[in-house]
Amino acid sequence: MFPTDALFPPGFLAEVLADLPSGLAHLSAGADAVSLGSALALLAMSLLSWTLILAKLAGRLARMPARRRAQRVWAETETVAEAEQRLQRTPGAEAWLELFADGRAAADWLRRHGPGHAGDPIAAALTQTLNRLGARFESGLTALASIGSTAPFVGLLGTVWGIQHALVAIAAAGSAQIDKVAGPVGEALIMTAFGLAVALPAVLAYNACTRGQRLLSAELEGFAHALHARLHAELNGVPDSGAALLPAATVPPAPVSEAAPRPAAASERPAESPQAGIVRLCPAAGV
C-alpha cells in the first residue's frame, strides 16, 4: 500500500472514500503507488486542461469588441491617430494597440532619419509584433495537445496495473469464479474511462483554439497591412496631427529642348506641275 498518511491529514481519505461509489472506493482502498500516481496525474491533467480552456475562452470573449471595431476602423477614420484613439476606447484591444505603438515608433524613426534606407522599417517592426503576438496567443496549445494525446495512455497504464493486481489477488485466493474476476477487473477499467474523460475535452479545445488562433492571426495581419499603408501615406504628405513630415522629393523639371523642324505635310508642300513629276521619276528622259 502507498503511504497516503504522509500526504493527507489523518481521516481525510477515509471521509473521501466513504463518499465514493463502491467500485471506486474498493479501487482506491487497494491502490498502490502506480495506481495512485496514475490517478493523481490524470487529476492534474484535467485541472490544467480546464484552466487553459477557460482562460482561452475568456480571452476570446474579451477580444470580440476589439475585433469588430478593428474590421471597420479604417473606413470610419481619416488618420492613424484617430484610429488608435478609437481602439483605445475599446476593451480587449491590447494586441491592436501594440501594432499601433510599434508601427508609429518605426514611422517616427523613418521621419527623423529620412528615406533611402535598405528595407522598410515599418514593415519590419509590424512583422516582429505579429510574431510576438502569435507566440503569445499560441501559449497553452502545446499543453492541450500533450494532455489530449497522453491522458488515454496514463489511464490505460492504471487499468493494466489494476488488472494485474486483481489477477494476482484472485490467484492467491484460489478462486476463479466469474463474480470474483469481473469485480476487480471492472474496477480497474475505470482508469481508462478517466483517461478518456480527461483527453476528450483537451482534444476538442485544442482544435477549437487552433482554428480561432488562425482566424485571429489573419485578422491581425490584414490590420497590420492597412496600418502599414496608412503610415506610409501620412509620411508621404498626408498631414497627421501637425507632425513633421518627410520633405517630398523634388524632381527638377525636364529641360525644354528646341523642337526640330518637322517635315512639311503633304498638304503644305507647293504644288508641282505634272512635267516636274515626270522629270523626277524619269531623269534620263531629258524632258
Side-chain angles (χ1 to χ4, degrees), residues 46-85:
S46 179
L47 292 177
L48 177 60
S49 174
W50 280 106
T51 301
L52 293 174
I53 291 172
L54 294 178
K56 292 290 184 182
L57 180 60
R60 184 173 183 177
L61 293 177
R63 285 189 296 268
M64 287 303 296
R67 295 176 71 173
R68 289 193 294 266
R69 176 59 62 85
Q71 290 177 357
R72 60 178 188 272
V73 68
W74 296 118
E76 299 174 352
T77 57
E78 297 294 334
T79 63
V80 174
E82 185 181 355
E84 186 175 6
Q85 291 175 1

Side-chain angles (χ1 to χ4, degrees), residues 44-61 63 136-148 198 201-206 208-210:
M45 288 181 180
S46 179
L47 292 177
L48 177 60
S49 174
W50 280 106
T51 301
L52 293 174
I53 291 172
L54 294 178
K56 292 290 184 182
L57 180 60
R60 184 173 183 177
L61 293 177
R63 285 189 296 268
R136 183 188 308 169
F137 292 142
E138 288 177 2
S139 62
L141 295 183
T142 303
L144 286 176
S146 301
I147 291 172
V198 173
V203 171
L204 295 177
Y206 172 79
C209 292
T210 301

Side-chain angles (χ1 to χ4, degrees), residues 149-166:
S149 60
T150 58
F153 296 101
V154 176
L156 184 61
L157 173 63
T159 295
V160 172
W161 195 261
I163 290 176
Q164 187 265 344
H165 274 270

Side-chain angles (χ1 to χ4, degrees), residues 88-213:
Q88 284 176 350
R89 297 191 296 266
T90 306
E94 290 79 9
W96 289 266
L97 294 179
E98 287 188 30
L99 287 173
F100 273 115
D102 294 342
R104 290 181 68 89
D108 292 339
W109 184 91
L110 188 59
R111 183 181 291 112
R112 291 192 305 268
H113 294 82
H117 302 279
D120 188 348
I122 300 178
L126 294 177
T127 301
Q128 291 181 354
T129 306
L130 289 174
N131 293 335
R132 184 174 66 250
L133 292 174
R136 183 188 308 169
F137 292 142
E138 288 177 2
S139 62
L141 295 183
T142 303
L144 286 176
S146 301
I147 291 172
S149 60
T150 58
F153 296 101
V154 176
L156 184 61
L157 173 63
T159 295
V160 172
W161 195 261
I163 290 176
Q164 187 265 344
H165 274 270
L167 294 178
V168 169
I170 291 171
S175 176
Q177 298 178 1
I178 186 63
D179 57 341
K180 302 296 183 181
V181 176
V185 171
E187 293 170 357
L189 290 175
I190 295 176
M191 293 296 294
T192 300
F194 285 167
L196 293 176
V198 173
L200 288 177
V203 171
L204 295 177
Y206 172 79
N207 293 333
C209 292
T210 301
R211 181 179 180 276
Q213 165 67 18

